[in-house]
Amino acid sequence: MRALPWVHLVATLGMTIVIWEVQLLRYPSFAHVAAADFPAFHQKHVARISLVVIPLMMAELATAGFFVMNPSASPVSPWLNWIGLALVGLVWASTFFVQVPLHNRLAEGFDAPTVERLVSTNWIRTAGWSARGVLALLMTIATLRQ
């Protein structure tokens, strides 16, 4: 059980790093891909990023849910676990109800307003995963103090 906060930390910080890279580098670079090349570029982006984010997101959800359901296994107070799980819900909702539909539009071809919306709405996930990163670090520090 003592390893679980570390799994949680790796998954959460992994997603925090990925989302900042996506926010500051990847999504803004979409505007610099030639229109004729964009569909293939976008398809490769989605396929490759999915290999990284799906396992991390699943591990993060599983560990956050475990700590809520088993508060005695968590080194922090139950309300912090609930906040963490609520933030997972926020980033997942943003992913599936905002970013995925925008990516589906971009799969058909480059569209500048859609890319701009992708960049602007992705701040929801960037903030959510940043907050989760802080919570995961607090949990890990609390684990070390036990």
Side-chain angles (χ1 to χ4, degrees):
M1 283 304 166
R2 287 184 56 87
L4 212 51
W6 292 99
V7 172
H8 188 75
L9 178 69
V10 168
T12 301
L13 288 184
M15 281 308 307
T16 304
I17 291 165
V18 167
I19 203 65
W20 276 100
E21 187 276 335
V22 165
Q23 182 64 33
L24 298 178
L25 303 173
R26 180 88 39 156
Y27 284 171
S29 73
F30 282 13
H32 303 285
V33 176
D37 298 331
F38 189 82
F41 164 83
H42 184 263
Q43 182 182 13
K44 285 180 184 177
H45 160 76
V46 170
R48 289 177 179 163
I49 199 84
S50 294
L51 293 174
V52 174
V53 301
I54 290 172
L56 291 174
M57 288 176 72
M58 296 302 289
E60 183 183 35
L61 175 63
T63 55
F66 180 84
F67 288 129
V68 164
M69 301 305 290
N70 301 282
S72 63
S74 173
V76 297
S77 71
W79 66 271
L80 282 176
N81 292 322
W82 278 104
I83 290 170
L85 188 59
L87 287 168
V88 169
L90 172 72
V91 298
W92 278 58
S94 181
T95 297
F96 293 106
F97 296 119
V98 181
Q99 278 73 39
V100 167
L102 292 171
H103 275 288
N104 289 342
R105 269 192 240 155
L106 290 172
E108 298 170 12
F110 179 78
D111 178 65
T114 302
V115 170
E116 289 172 17
R117 183 153 166 73
L118 188 63
V119 171
S120 66
T121 61
N122 196 56
W123 282 111
I124 297 166
R125 298 191 307 169
T126 304
W129 265 307
S130 296
R132 288 216 21 82
V134 170
L135 287 175
L137 284 169
L138 291 174
M139 182 178 284
T140 305
I141 291 167
T143 299
L144 292 172
R145 290 186 176 169
Q146 291 181 337

